[in-house]
Amino acid sequence: MSGSNGGQTGRVSIIGLGPGDACYLTPAAQAALDEATDLIGYFPYVARVPERNGLTRHASDNRVELDRSRHALELAAGGAHVAVVSGGDPGVFAMAAALFEALDNGPDHWRALPITVEPGITAMLAAAAKAGAPLGGDFCAISLSDNLKPWALVARRLEAALSADFAIALYNPISKARPHQLDDAFTLARAHRAPQTPVLLARAVGRTDESLRIVPLSEVRGAMADMSTLVLIGASTTRLIEKPDGTAWVYTPRFHAGLEGRPAEDGGK
Ligand code: SAH
């Protein structure tokens, strides 16, 4: 049916596959995958969806998100039921925003298409759950990639989040093309946080090669992470609970006494 128009109503489902194993896929996401005639996404994510009759796969390389989105909308306008897949959640540094960018700048008739977004478990939440509860207080998420924004803005957001004492999840921490930024981020963090602040390096969470490390801020290095790693820098209150086997839980208590050095007129109220 894909590509045919005769009055067929096509649609787009933008689907989060979760961090890895199929057990993290929501039933709603699975149902949307089951109804798709066409599957679009970055090839490792497309590869996670089992082949079946009636499903045409359109895997593409990384960094072609807008082309991929236009392709999805064109196919849907022709009557296809298109599933656009992302790892984790599709709204977190992923395909949902790219698709809406394409819609925003595309032909008017695309706007009548039914579009649904099926959430998935994002890397930050999967990583936090494995480690304990490091996001138990206020937190934020920052992508360290400067492909789509200048590094000066990334650095400003890091500074703001560090000075306001958020726990900070770093997506896209490092790549061959961007080898230095994670170390720059750690250097900024050391100016705001104690040396013992726990840093969680959660790699390939929910996959067979999953690994988790907790390293004090004073010792953490960019080379300990790769593109498949979610880095989580603790807040000042983030703590470890040692286990008898030498490993530890990491958690951030729900309570927070306040910020040192906040304006006097704000103090004590
Ligand atoms: N939409 C995805 C994020 C895409 S950005 C999500 O919601 O998870 C890609 C970055 O996400 C990677 O560089 C890494 O920092 C992180 N990431 C994605 N999957 C991961 C996993 N299984 N384990 C650890 N980090 C992961």
Side-chain angles (χ1 to χ4, degrees):
M1 208 144 304
S2 127
S4 69
N5 202 342
Q8 282 293 331
T9 313
R11 61 179 135 100
V12 179
S13 302
I14 313 166
I15 299 172
L17 297 178
D21 193 282
C23 71
Y24 295 116
L25 190 73
T26 71
Q30 183 63 61
L33 286 172
D34 290 345
E35 288 168 10
T37 58
D38 293 81
L39 184 63
I40 289 191
Y42 178 35
F43 61 84
Y45 302 133
V46 165
R48 274 203 225 160
V49 180
E51 296 192 43
R52 63 169 164 79
N53 283 340
L55 182 66
T56 307
R57 297 158 150 239
H58 311 265
S60 47
D61 210 340
N62 213 354
R63 296 234 208 154
V64 292
E65 291 88 354
L66 264 186
D67 292 344
R68 214 186 270 152
S69 299
R70 288 189 207 104
H71 186 199
L73 288 159
E74 270 161 21
L75 286 172
H81 290 188
V82 185
V84 178
V85 290
S86 282
D89 183 274
V92 179
F93 309 125
M95 283 305 297
L99 192 120
F100 286 111
E101 284 162 32
L103 185 68
D104 205 3
N105 296 298
D108 281 350
H109 70 273
W110 283 355
R111 297 184 179 211
L113 287 168
I115 298 175
T116 52
V117 183
E118 299 296 346
I121 299 174
T122 189
M124 160 179 88
L125 299 184
K130 296 280 174 174
L135 304 178
D138 294 338
F139 62 88
C140 69
I142 298 178
S143 168
L144 282 196
S145 170
D146 60 357
N147 292 336
L148 301 169
K149 61 190 173 187
W151 175 252
L153 179 63
V154 180
R156 203 167 96 203
R157 288 180 175 170
L158 277 169
E159 285 278 4
L162 286 161
S163 63
D165 204 14
F166 286 98
I168 304 171
L170 299 177
Y171 284 76
N172 296 309
I174 196 161
S175 75
K176 285 198 192 91
R178 300 181 290 103
H180 304 299
Q181 291 156 340
L182 182 56
D183 277 314
D184 291 352
F186 289 146
T187 302
L188 288 175
R190 286 184 194 109
H192 292 269
R193 297 275 201 282
Q196 289 311 308
T197 304
V199 177
L200 172 67
L201 301 155
R203 187 178 181 284
V205 178
R207 303 183 200 154
T208 46
D209 51 341
E210 169 180 304
S211 72
L212 247 70
R213 275 175 88 174
I214 302 164
V215 182
L217 180 58
S218 56
E219 289 170 30
V220 76
R221 298 292 174 263
M224 296 173 182
D226 67 9
M227 272 176 67
S228 301
T229 308
L230 187 286
V231 178
L232 208 157
I233 302 175
S236 67
T237 48
T238 303
R239 305 167 49 76
L240 298 184
I241 305 172
E242 311 283 346
K243 296 186 238 181
D245 67 1
T247 64
W249 294 112
V250 50
Y251 86 108
T252 306
R254 296 162 302 150
F255 50 85
H256 196 299
L259 285 175
E260 299 297 321
R262 64 183 169 176
E265 63 269 23
D266 192 30
K269 289 192 182 159

